[in-house]
Amino acid sequence: MANDLSKAFSRDNLKRAWRWILSNTEYKYKNYFRDLYTAYSFSFEENITDLRDRLKNGVYCPQRPVKVYIPKSSGILRPFTLLSIEDQIVYQSMANVVAEYHYKKAKKRYFKTVFGHLYAGKTSKFFYRKWQDSYKLYNKSIIQAYREGYNYIASFDLTACYDSIDHKVLEHFLSRYGLDREFISKLLSFLSCWSNDVEILHGHGIPQGPMASGIIAEVLLSYLDEMFEKKYSTDSIKYFRYVDDVRLLGKDIDSLKKMLVSLDLHSKHIGLFPQSSKIEIHEIKDIETEIKSISFQITDEVNAEKKAQNQNRIIKMIAKLSPQNKVTDLTKFKRYLSFATPNSKLTMKLLKVLENHPYLYESIAIYLNNYPRKIPDKVVDQIINQLNKCEIYQVINGKLLEVIMGKLSTDNTVKVLEFIKYRWKNSNKIKIYDPLYRAMLIAWQFNHGLFKYSEIKHILEKEENWWVLKTIIQYINIEYIGEPSYCELLRILLKNKSVDVAIVAAHEIIKLNIKVAPPYKDFNYIAQHVLKNARVMNRAAKRPSAIGEYLNYICKQNLPQINWKKVFGNLHSEAENKLARAYSYVNTDMSAFINIFDVFLDLLLDRLFEHNQIINRYTIGKIGAVLHQNSPLQKAYPDLWRLCKTIHEKRLECDLSHPKVRNTNKYTRPVEFSYIYKIRPLIYSGLLEFIKKW
């Protein structure tokens, strides 16, 4: 029988870990890694085989994490951990094994007394059950207890739960679960690396950010559940836990006081400490005010379908919820803001709100990113003013610089660049510790040609932060330094020891259709997988077309063979490149996939119309002109017509194409990942029809 470590590092489990990482609903974390997920997926099968071999042979070495410090409502900073892509896979693969053991012990409590990070099972698309359902049931259970006569409530919350988890304590509980000693030892050695971004190593903490940490924390937190069941479960107290937030409902204050003391003692036994400021007991006056209803739904006065006509009402509600620029109801405020159309007056107010509530920076950044064209001058002045203020929260400055890039007039761009040059020049005086801020300071200068080639080369060779390095690659101005110099820089990055850096460089080569000359042997081995899979390395004059291979992968079934080089003729190289990029996005970014696949279909139609001119004349890039109802294309190729029309219309609704949908004037949105399941049969049937009739 396989031991736990071999189960964790089996090919099937590593692939399952990857699938769950891609399905992570945490937008913030995915946003930091979207480009990396795309690059890694390009040669996933080869990469996962290589990773499994290194793990099996004991030569896999985890990377030091990158820490982002995010402001909390209290004003202090919360660490947010960015793990390298392979570390994410390894961590998740080990969490999968822990989850199976944990589920056997804790399943009887699921949706009864315990809510939050609940394991969904091996066959589920998602690692965790839907948090929305879990939180609703958590609130519903509290309300039900109140209606049964439990009129007093006590709140019990732990301080820095993830950071406080002691590895020795974790080892104890994992051993109690029955996990192998070898597995536990390996997991703890990895955690000691992933929990620290400084040279001083310590034996506590798990990384905040990766969803795997949720199940690891549950191993300790379930101890509180057990203690309550064994020693304190009575008719006078109801116990409910959502992650590290415990709520006790009782029929009298004395019982709750005793229970709180017991919880305090038991949490300290396992090295966790309660937040004294959040511990309180009081009589419930209105149960609805006692719960933080995440399931809050905006009423008909803010109908999402009619938001364009309700902007005045939305703005008034935002103003009402933030008197003197201080937010009174965070949930409602963020919800209304998500429906707001950018305008100068509202933006100026939001930037003032940001000063009082820095933890709202993500929501405000998303709002700013919705500006369809140029950001107004007075708004830019206020943003620059915000950038020049005290840099306690560097992540905010980084986010602001990211969302305004490409949305400024020439004059305003010059203003921002003046700030950036000054800040970069004085970076020795005030350390740039936030990775996004550092990346954006460099990226702006790369993008606007402020560095000489030698300076760019020096930065790429000396930068130690792998996340910063993989981010700034994409901002180098090719026109400024020239393609030969750019290729030389990419070769430097392809040799980088960090998988994350090397594969992003490889994906840039694929995206720009750049030829890479030998030698290749000194390239990062994972980058080699990516380049070989894209047919970039070892290009031979008569190499076979990769189009069929890519299409089979996208369709998840094999299409009949056809000479794609003959189909596309002189457009083959371009078509292959576009499809290669679509192939890389199919598991990571559906918006990008739809946009690029639409271009591939455009090229395909061009060749089809040239081959069969009876169905009408066609100009490349004018795909919409031949997709009308009852067109010759529809009559001759109904399945292909349906595919092209569906993809093209979806592209017009996609955030990467246009800021607004032309017909409805609604803001475009990212395409949901689940859309692939809808479109895949259409892709297969449309292309099958094309191949058979060609």
Side-chain angles (χ1 to χ4, degrees):
M1 184 179 290
N3 60 27
D4 292 321
L5 202 59
S6 60
K7 287 178 187 175
F9 299 154
S10 69
R11 185 179 180 84
D12 285 347
N13 191 50
L14 289 169
K15 291 176 77 170
R16 189 180 302 116
W18 173 248
R19 188 177 75 242
W20 279 335
I21 288 168
L22 293 181
S23 65
N24 186 4
T25 54
E26 174 60 66
Y27 165 80
K28 189 184 295 180
Y29 205 78
K30 288 178 78 169
N31 203 39
Y32 276 100
F33 290 101
R34 201 172 299 279
D35 54 343
L36 263 175
Y37 293 158
T38 297
Y40 197 82
S41 68
F42 205 99
S43 56
F44 174 71
E45 294 295 334
E46 295 89 343
N47 295 344
I48 214 71
T49 299
D50 190 278
L51 175 60
R52 182 201 60 190
D53 292 344
R54 280 178 284 143
L55 289 164
K56 185 179 177 181
N57 296 328
V59 295
Y60 179 81
C61 294
Q63 284 196 70
R64 190 64 57 81
V66 172
K67 292 287 182 88
V68 180
Y69 292 92
I70 297 169
K72 297 173 66 174
S73 56
S74 62
I76 62 172
L77 298 168
R78 173 173 68 89
F80 190 73
T81 304
L82 306 178
L83 297 184
S84 73
I85 192 165
E86 291 196 325
D87 283 348
Q88 289 180 50
I89 297 170
V90 171
Y91 190 22
Q92 186 62 53
S93 72
M94 301 188 85
N96 294 351
V97 175
V98 174
E100 290 293 322
Y101 279 91
H102 174 73
Y103 182 71
K104 293 174 186 175
K105 293 181 71 71
K107 64 179 179 180
K108 63 181 181 181
R109 306 186 192 103
Y110 277 20
F111 294 131
K112 294 174 183 174
T113 59
V114 176
F115 309 83
H117 297 310
L118 306 181
Y119 178 53
K122 276 186 182 181
T123 58
S124 172
K125 179 185 173 183
F126 297 98
F127 183 55
Y128 294 126
R129 299 185 181 184
K130 285 181 72 174
W131 69 268
Q132 295 93 334
D133 294 343
S134 186
Y135 203 92
K136 284 177 185 176
L137 283 169
Y138 176 56
N139 286 341
K140 188 177 178 181
S141 301
I142 294 170
I143 293 170
Q144 183 60 35
Y146 169 73
R147 289 172 178 169
E148 292 173 0
Y150 295 83
N151 299 325
Y152 295 89
I153 190 167
S155 300
F156 183 89
D157 199 4
L158 296 168
T159 300
C161 178
Y162 281 22
D163 291 336
S164 303
I165 290 176
D166 187 279
H167 292 177
K168 286 290 183 184
V169 177
L170 180 60
E171 181 181 13
H172 169 77
F173 283 105
L174 290 173
S175 298
R176 280 182 51 185
Y177 274 14
L179 282 148
D180 296 341
R181 185 174 296 279
E182 188 182 8
F183 176 94
I184 297 171
S185 177
K186 181 67 71 175
L187 175 60
L188 294 178
S189 70
F190 286 165
L191 286 174
S192 67
C193 174
W194 295 332
S195 302
N196 300 275
D197 62 339
V198 293
E199 294 298 326
I200 303 171
L201 298 179
H202 48 71
H204 63 83
I206 60 176
Q208 293 195 43
M211 64 178 177
S213 288
I215 209 73
I216 303 299
E218 283 293 313
V219 172
L220 265 71
L221 292 169
S222 61
Y223 172 75
L224 301 179
D225 312 332
E226 290 177 17
M227 288 301 100
F228 178 83
E229 289 176 358
K230 288 179 181 178
K231 297 184 178 182
Y232 307 106
S233 184
T234 66
D235 290 337
S236 62
I237 293 179
K238 292 281 188 180
Y239 170 98
F240 306 103
R241 179 173 65 81
Y242 186 88
V243 192
D244 61 344
D245 180 12
V246 177
R247 298 197 188 170
L248 305 169
L249 276 82
K251 295 181 178 180
D252 61 86
I253 291 180
D254 287 341
S255 304
L256 287 177
K257 283 182 178 178
K258 291 176 183 177
M259 188 63 221
L260 280 176
V261 170
S262 299
L263 274 177
D264 181 39
L265 288 171
H266 285 299
S267 61
K268 287 173 179 173
H269 286 164
I270 57 175
L272 303 177
F273 298 88
Q275 295 191 52
S276 55
S277 61
K278 291 190 177 182
I279 295 176
E280 59 169 340
I281 304 174
H282 61 266
E283 185 178 2
I284 299 172
K285 301 295 183 184
D286 179 7
I287 189 61
E288 294 296 331
T289 62
E290 293 291 338
I291 59 175
K292 298 176 181 178
S293 183
I294 290 180
S295 58
F296 169 80
Q297 298 293 325
I298 293 180
T299 59
D300 289 338
E301 66 179 338
V302 186
N303 189 318
E305 296 299 318
K306 300 178 180 178
K307 62 183 179 182
Q309 291 79 23
N310 286 303
Q311 284 303 306
N312 289 334
R313 194 172 290 178
I314 292 171
I315 292 169
K316 285 179 182 177
M317 285 304 302
I318 290 173
K320 186 179 177 181
L321 291 165
S322 54
Q324 284 88 45
N325 302 316
K326 293 182 179 179
V327 177
T328 56
D329 189 318
L330 183 62
T331 302
K332 288 186 179 181
F333 181 87
K334 289 170 73 173
R335 185 70 172 165
Y336 278 98
L337 181 58
S338 69
F339 290 140
T341 300
N343 69 73
S344 296
K345 186 178 178 181
L346 178 57
T347 305
M348 297 297 281
K349 178 176 179 61
L350 291 173
L351 290 170
K352 291 176 182 176
V353 169
L354 183 62
E355 293 180 23
N356 294 318
H357 304 279
Y359 53 90
L360 285 172
Y361 79 96
E362 279 281 358
S363 297
I364 293 172
I366 292 170
Y367 163 87
L368 287 171
N369 204 41
N370 283 332
Y371 266 100
R373 294 181 183 85
K374 302 299 183 188
I375 299 174
D377 291 353
K378 62 180 180 180
V379 172
V380 176
D381 289 339
Q382 185 64 28
I383 290 173
I384 293 172
N385 184 51
Q386 180 75 33
L387 291 169
N388 276 304
K389 288 183 178 179
C390 181
E391 294 182 319
I392 300 174
Y393 310 119
Q394 290 190 4
V395 68
I396 296 177
N397 277 11
K399 199 68 185 177
L400 288 173
L401 288 173
E402 183 182 47
V403 298
I404 67 174
M405 184 179 283
K407 293 181 179 290
L408 306 182
S409 66
T410 303
D411 289 344
N412 285 330
T413 299
V414 171
K415 289 180 184 178
V416 174
L417 285 172
E418 286 301 316
F419 162 80
I420 286 169
K421 286 189 287 186
Y422 175 81
R423 182 64 182 86
W424 185 252
K425 186 179 177 182
N426 293 277
S427 58
N428 292 330
K429 296 179 182 177
I430 304 175
K431 186 182 176 183
I432 308 167
Y433 61 81
D434 181 78
L436 179 60
Y437 190 27
R438 181 173 179 83
M440 286 301 109
L441 288 174
I442 298 171
W444 270 79
Q445 295 179 89
F446 275 10
N447 197 250
H448 292 89
L450 297 185
F451 286 133
K452 298 176 183 176
Y453 172 74
S454 59
E455 292 175 309
I456 298 173
K457 187 177 179 182
H458 179 78
I459 289 171
L460 296 184
E461 289 177 331
K462 300 298 180 183
E463 177 60 55
E464 295 180 353
N465 188 308
W466 57 265
W467 190 89
V468 171
L469 199 51
K470 74 90 187 169
T471 301
I472 61 178
I473 294 169
Q474 302 157 86
Y475 291 97
I476 299 172
N477 193 323
I478 307 175
E479 293 181 4
Y480 179 74
I481 65 169
E483 188 172 316
S485 295
Y486 184 67
C487 290
E488 187 182 341
L489 293 175
L490 288 178
R491 289 193 71 89
I492 294 171
L493 298 169
L494 288 167
K495 300 173 187 178
N496 197 285
K497 291 181 180 179
S498 168
V499 168
D500 308 73
V501 174
I503 61 173
V504 169
H507 198 257
E508 284 297 299
I509 287 170
I510 297 164
K511 190 163 64 177
L512 298 170
N513 201 24
I514 296 172
K515 293 183 180 180
V516 181
Y520 309 123
K521 63 180 181 180
D522 53 349
F523 290 177
N524 185 295
Y525 43 85
I526 301 298
Q528 289 187 43
H529 294 327
V530 173
L531 294 174
K532 284 178 180 177
N533 217 41
R535 310 294 202 274
V536 173
M537 284 171 53
N538 300 321
R539 282 179 168 165
K542 296 183 178 180
R543 66 176 178 83
S545 174
I547 288 177
E549 183 184 334
Y550 295 146
L551 288 175
N552 289 342
Y553 182 86
I554 292 167
C555 295
K556 293 297 183 186
Q557 54 185 317
N558 292 335
L559 289 159
Q561 291 187 358
I562 188 173
N563 189 337
W564 287 107
K565 283 191 171 183
K566 188 176 180 180
V567 170
F568 283 104
N570 61 354
L571 293 177
H572 177 263
S573 179
E574 185 180 356
E576 189 180 50
N577 177 259
K578 297 301 180 188
L579 193 59
R581 292 177 61 197
Y583 159 87
S584 71
Y585 285 119
V586 74
N587 292 317
T588 60
D589 191 335
M590 195 48 46
S591 293
F593 171 79
I594 292 295
N595 272 265
I596 297 169
F597 197 72
D598 188 54
V599 177
F600 170 77
L601 292 175
D602 198 17
L603 295 170
L604 186 69
L605 286 185
D606 179 70
R607 300 303 298 166
L608 175 60
F609 277 73
E610 187 176 318
H611 180 73
N612 185 359
Q613 296 182 8
I614 298 172
I615 56 179
N616 213 344
R617 298 181 65 183
Y618 180 71
T619 304
I620 198 164
K622 303 290 184 182
I623 191 170
V626 299
L627 297 180
H628 57 273
Q629 205 72 27
N630 298 318
S631 66
L633 178 65
Q634 184 186 8
K635 294 174 182 177
Y637 293 84
D639 290 342
L640 180 63
W641 174 86
R642 192 178 301 109
L643 167 63
C644 294
K645 186 175 177 64
T646 304
I647 292 284
H648 185 65
E649 289 179 348
K650 195 67 179 179
R651 182 186 183 185
L652 298 178
E653 299 172 3
C654 169
D655 61 327
L656 291 180
S657 305
H658 309 281
K660 288 185 177 182
V661 181
R662 199 173 296 171
N663 296 336
T664 63
N665 208 36
K666 295 178 183 177
Y667 277 101
T668 53
R669 296 286 182 186
V671 182
E672 295 288 333
F673 176 73
S674 58
Y675 188 71
I676 188 62
Y677 301 110
K678 178 182 177 180
I679 202 67
R680 189 169 273 148
L682 284 179
I683 295 174
Y684 181 78
S685 61
L687 292 170
L688 183 64
E689 180 182 63
F690 171 84
I691 292 170
K692 286 182 175 179
K693 291 188 177 183
W694 178 260

